[in-house]
Amino acid sequence: MLHGHGDDAYRYRREIRADFSTNVWYGGEPAGLKEHLFNQWSLVQKYPEVLAESLNEQVAQHYDIKPEQVLISNGTTESIYLIAQAFRGKRTTIATPAFAEYEDACRMQQHQVAFIRWDELYSSSRLATELLFICNPNNPTGSVFLPLEELISGNPQTLFVLDEAFIEFTLSIETAVPLLSRYENLVILRSMTKAFAIPGLRLGYILAHEKQINLLRDLKFPWSVNTLAIEAGKFIFDNYELLQLPVRQLLEDKESFALQLQHTGVTVYESHTHFFLAETTQGNAAELKQFLVEQHGLLIRDASNFRGLKETHFRVATLAPAQNQFLIKALSTWKNHCS
């Protein structure tokens, strides 16, 4: 799906004063990163490392795993498409609603795609599938799946592709990286663009057993991660403990924001992250999105194109409290606009 994602402000002529459609941290890139990249600018005169080897070593050291268990990628989307290619034609199940690229990548590679709803997936589930894509915390719902190890251990025939792109935005679960030492049927996708606010640089990585990484590395084209992205990743891991999100405060702001949105007449669903699903009771999400852009310069994520959701669903990310008030006030006028 080339279009239909969030953060599509570039498609509108109207200036966007608050973008609730993207689930990237609103606080901007880490302090000092811009200056660091400016100082590394001369490196763009040469080709980047073929496989981002120096960052690969740093990531492995951070997680106390072998470098052979890491593969640096041009964002999680490249990771998804690499996995779909590596396991071309397999029987694959996707836990929905979910990021559309799982399905798109798998269909491109002739997978036999099936779907299971999040609320129908249990620790005791026995899966008749070779791959399972699951995002934890989930996009777009912000739900978390807690009994993950039981599900993995109970389905040794299934390769679990676990997308942890939003793990930094929750206090309800911790990363599944420690499970890599016990299960070969686990592949973890991590993003560096969301929590560190660098989506334009495109940077992520895959963690897995070395036999899975070898398979993926053989399919990866050279230089897919640019020099500045590599340097950004190294800066982040050099300063990792200092760059953590104020997640507790962010989630408190989310709870207040969601409660105030409910008073405007929209339905808000529970979430364990800073973003959440909502549903309009007037019109549909596409109409609401257009109204907010044109009348208020605000952008939300029309979530109707997520498999399993309705045309009335939209996704909202929590921004700074003052910006959140923009949306609260704008939505209070939506009902009158529709009548």
Side-chain angles (χ1 to χ4, degrees):
M1 183 172 66
L2 294 178
H3 298 290
H5 297 291
D7 201 14
D8 58 351
Y10 69 94
R11 304 182 71 186
Y12 297 93
R13 294 182 179 179
R14 168 71 190 265
E15 180 183 356
I16 302 299
R17 60 175 180 160
D19 186 353
F20 298 90
S21 74
T22 174
N23 36 32
V24 172
W25 161 238
Y26 72 81
E29 79 281 354
L33 176 59
K34 184 188 301 183
E35 294 76 11
H36 174 75
L37 294 183
F38 285 167
N39 291 333
Q40 304 301 316
W41 183 257
S42 63
L43 294 178
V44 304
Q45 298 171 19
K46 298 182 179 181
Y47 280 92
E49 298 167 4
V50 172
L51 290 171
E53 287 88 347
S54 60
L55 179 55
N56 194 100
E57 291 277 348
Q58 206 165 352
V59 172
Q61 185 176 10
H62 177 82
Y63 289 108
D64 194 25
I65 59 179
K66 294 183 290 186
E68 293 79 13
Q69 292 181 267
V70 180
L71 187 64
I72 309 299
S73 69
N74 182 260
T76 300
T77 299
E78 185 195 18
S79 301
I80 293 166
Y81 278 79
L82 270 177
I83 290 167
Q85 183 181 359
F87 297 96
R88 181 179 174 84
K90 297 294 186 181
R91 286 178 289 111
T92 297
T93 299
I94 300 170
T96 61
F99 187 41
E101 300 302 334
Y102 306 146
E103 181 178 351
D104 290 353
C106 288
R107 292 201 185 281
M108 183 181 292
Q109 298 296 335
Q110 306 299 312
H111 288 234
Q112 303 167 54
V113 181
F115 304 93
I116 185 169
R117 289 190 56 83
W118 254 76
D119 53 11
E120 296 175 353
L121 190 62
Y122 307 101
S123 61
S124 58
S125 295
R126 294 298 172 261
L127 305 171
T129 190
E130 294 171 281
L131 271 76
L132 174 72
F133 278 87
I134 181 170
C135 187
N136 198 28
N138 190 40
N139 177 26
T141 63
S143 304
V144 297
F145 190 83
L146 292 169
L148 184 65
E149 183 172 7
E150 297 172 52
L151 184 65
I152 295 172
S153 64
N155 292 276
Q157 79 290 346
T158 300
L159 181 67
F160 287 80
V161 183
L162 177 66
D163 187 348
E164 289 191 342
F166 304 101
I167 195 71
E168 292 93 349
F169 293 95
T170 188
L171 295 173
S172 299
I173 56 172
E174 296 182 349
T175 179
V177 171
L179 299 183
L180 290 173
S181 63
R182 300 197 288 277
Y183 301 99
E184 294 186 11
N185 62 324
L186 174 62
V187 176
I188 299 176
L189 312 184
R190 294 295 295 262
S191 169
M192 296 189 71
T193 64
K194 309 296 191 304
F196 302 108
I198 52 170
L201 283 178
R202 312 305 308 132
L203 185 63
Y205 51 94
I206 306 172
L207 307 176
H209 188 275
E210 51 196 290
K211 74 176 184 180
Q212 310 293 0
I213 294 296
N214 286 338
L215 182 61
L216 298 171
R217 188 185 294 115
D218 287 345
L219 296 172
K220 195 175 189 332
F221 63 87
W223 310 303
S224 75
V225 182
N226 72 71
T227 297
L228 293 183
I230 294 171
E231 290 302 318
K234 290 161 67 175
F235 177 89
I236 288 168
F237 276 100
D238 279 340
N239 300 278
Y240 201 82
E241 298 305 321
L242 300 174
L243 302 179
Q244 296 307 295
L245 293 176
V247 62
R248 192 172 299 277
Q249 183 61 56
L250 182 60
L251 292 176
E252 289 177 4
D253 290 346
K254 185 279 301 275
E255 291 299 327
S256 174
F257 183 30
L259 181 61
Q260 292 178 76
L261 282 180
Q262 286 181 312
H263 293 323
T264 69
V266 302
T267 302
V268 177
Y269 294 92
E270 182 182 1
S271 166
H272 292 264
T273 67
H274 70 305
F275 61 84
F276 51 90
L277 274 183
E279 190 172 0
T280 178
T281 56
Q282 304 285 327
N284 59 47
E287 294 166 341
L288 174 58
K289 178 180 178 180
Q290 197 68 28
F291 166 78
L292 290 172
V293 168
E294 293 178 354
Q295 301 298 318
H296 299 277
L298 305 177
L299 191 60
I300 59 171
R301 169 66 155 93
D302 176 0
S304 61
N305 61 352
F306 283 95
R307 181 179 289 274
L309 298 186
K310 296 183 293 186
E311 65 176 9
T312 49
H313 283 109
F314 61 98
R315 192 190 68 201
V316 172
T318 303
L319 303 182
Q323 292 176 301
N324 296 338
Q325 290 300 315
F326 294 157
L327 185 59
I328 292 164
K329 292 176 181 178
L331 281 175
S332 67
T333 69
W334 170 239
K335 185 175 182 180
N336 289 336
H337 173 82
C338 292
S339 59

